[in-house]
Amino acid sequence: MDASKLKTEKQKVLLMGKSGSGKSSMRNIIFSNYVAKDARRLGATIDVEHSRVKFLGNLILNLWDCGGQDAFTENYLTTQKSYVFSGVGVLIYVFDIESREFEQDLATYNAVIKALEEYSPRAHVFCLVHKMDLVQVDFRESLFEEREGAIKGKSGRFARVVTSYPTTIWDQSLYKAWGNIVHSLIPNLDVIENYLGQLAKAIVAEEIILFERTTFLTVMSVTSKIGEQNPYIDRQERLSNIVKTFKHSLAIFTSSSTSSHQFHDFHIQTPRFNVIIDKFTNNTFVLAVLPPGDAELNCTRINIATARDEFMKLDTTGDRSHQESVGYV
């Protein structure tokens, strides 16, 4: 793949919202392995903080965390307008459910949308109604639906495509929202799904999930009819949260960084099923739920190793121009 095509797969992601809405906390939980209690100590973002995150080899997220103080927001919408809003792949706008100035928040959001319409009309727009844990459980759904409708009403040309999520840093809702956001950016998902489907069939997996290495967000999953009977519809987000919390615990008890703790092969055997988490490519891990037994587990390891070579081509070269059948045992 030539350099020009690789360049087109870089995605500029704007993270915007009022100061104190929780933008930087969620960014650090997702991308920097913070846990919720540590994220609360983060200070306000000054102007724009840039970070680059690599996904699946040639997909680069250029994340712009934009400070939400009024003076900065005014600059984004006036003197820095073309600089901030040109070439945007995704806008993530965060609303604080506690805000007492929701109408003003909507007005600012609408101004941002107008700038996006002018400079990046093909961008994806996601809105996170954040800090939902502060709302009584009985009122969460109705309040979110009310805010969702108001947001859609101020979304201009993006009203038909804007997607909103209720989130909090204290549960897996944050991983669900960000997982879906990242999923929308990954090119040629059908090729990845084809390879995962072949692997799932070969190992008779109830479910197989491909996770991004650093964030442990779900890239793709394939579920069998048996797997679809699992009552926990948020299990993938739960797994993301559990694994990252476990890595954080390892860092605390070994006095090292969370980035230094990467799984190579982690498995659980029970009388009813096996679960294996294995390093797949440089940027991904694979989790598989399969029938019980030592033979099934060992066969799965061999088949994952076989599939790894094909996925490495996708991960390192970005070459998704062909789909080949993989020879599994």
Side-chain angles (χ1 to χ4, degrees), residues 36-308:
K37 63 183 180 64
D38 293 335
R40 290 183 300 174
R41 296 197 290 264
L42 294 169
T45 301
I46 304 301
D47 203 3
V48 180
E49 290 186 5
H50 300 272
S51 56
R52 298 174 78 249
V53 181
K54 186 177 182 181
F55 271 74
L56 295 179
N58 64 320
L59 175 62
I60 305 295
L61 302 186
N62 291 321
L63 185 61
W64 294 36
D65 184 358
C66 303
Q69 295 89 335
D70 291 342
F72 294 141
T73 302
E74 184 178 353
N75 286 337
Y76 304 149
L77 295 169
T78 54
T79 58
Q80 295 181 307
K81 194 174 181 182
S82 63
Y83 170 68
V84 172
F85 293 100
S86 293
V88 176
V90 171
L91 167 67
I92 303 169
Y93 202 93
V94 182
F95 288 89
D96 185 347
I97 196 66
E98 275 197 309
S99 175
R100 298 181 179 180
E101 301 175 334
F102 183 57
E103 291 301 321
Q104 180 58 46
D105 297 343
L106 283 176
T108 303
Y109 167 71
N110 184 246
V112 168
I113 285 294
K114 289 180 179 178
L116 199 66
E117 289 174 345
E118 181 179 355
Y119 290 97
S120 299
R122 297 183 178 180
H124 300 274
V125 178
F126 296 90
C127 293
L128 308 185
V129 182
H130 197 45
K131 303 182 183 179
M132 290 297 293
D133 59 290
L134 300 176
V135 180
Q136 293 183 34
V137 175
D138 292 343
F139 299 103
R140 286 179 187 174
E141 184 176 355
S142 60
L143 182 56
F144 169 70
E145 290 176 353
E146 177 188 315
R147 295 292 168 91
E148 183 181 31
I151 291 167
K152 189 177 289 290
K154 293 293 184 179
S155 296
R157 298 175 191 170
F158 294 100
R160 290 186 177 183
V161 295
V162 63
T163 304
S164 298
Y165 296 98
T167 57
T168 170
I169 63 174
W170 299 103
D171 65 22
Q172 59 272 9
S173 62
L174 197 62
Y175 290 93
K176 178 180 180 179
W178 278 88
N180 289 339
I181 291 168
V182 170
H183 189 267
S184 72
L185 296 172
I186 299 171
N188 296 65
L189 282 169
D190 57 330
V191 180
I192 299 174
E193 185 175 19
N194 176 64
Y195 281 125
L196 270 190
Q198 289 184 45
L199 178 57
K201 185 177 180 179
I203 64 177
V204 197
E206 290 186 15
E207 186 162 26
I208 189 165
I209 308 169
L210 189 67
F211 290 103
E212 195 276 329
R213 179 182 65 89
T214 302
T215 63
F216 241 79
L217 295 174
T218 300
V219 174
M220 173 63 70
S221 65
V222 174
T223 307
S224 69
K225 291 183 179 180
I226 296 176
E228 289 174 353
Q229 298 174 16
N230 192 316
Y232 296 98
I233 59 175
D234 60 348
R235 58 190 177 277
Q236 295 178 14
E237 296 81 31
R238 287 173 179 254
L239 286 167
S240 295
N241 200 358
I242 290 168
V243 171
K244 292 192 74 172
T245 301
F246 179 59
K247 288 169 62 179
H248 187 81
S249 298
L250 288 177
I252 291 175
F253 289 106
T254 59
S255 300
S256 58
S257 68
T258 53
S259 61
S260 65
H261 293 289
Q262 300 296 343
F263 296 102
H264 185 273
D265 182 341
F266 176 86
H267 70 271
I268 300 173
Q269 291 183 272
T270 77
R272 293 194 304 111
F273 61 86
N274 286 320
V275 175
I276 183 169
I277 304 176
D278 202 353
K279 183 177 180 182
F280 203 44
T281 67
N282 292 333
N283 297 301
T284 60
F285 279 79
V286 66
L287 179 147
V289 181
L290 52 138
D294 291 335
E296 286 77 4
L297 183 62
N298 292 330
C299 186
T300 295
R301 286 197 175 104
I302 295 171
N303 283 321
I304 287 176
T306 302
R308 183 178 290 120

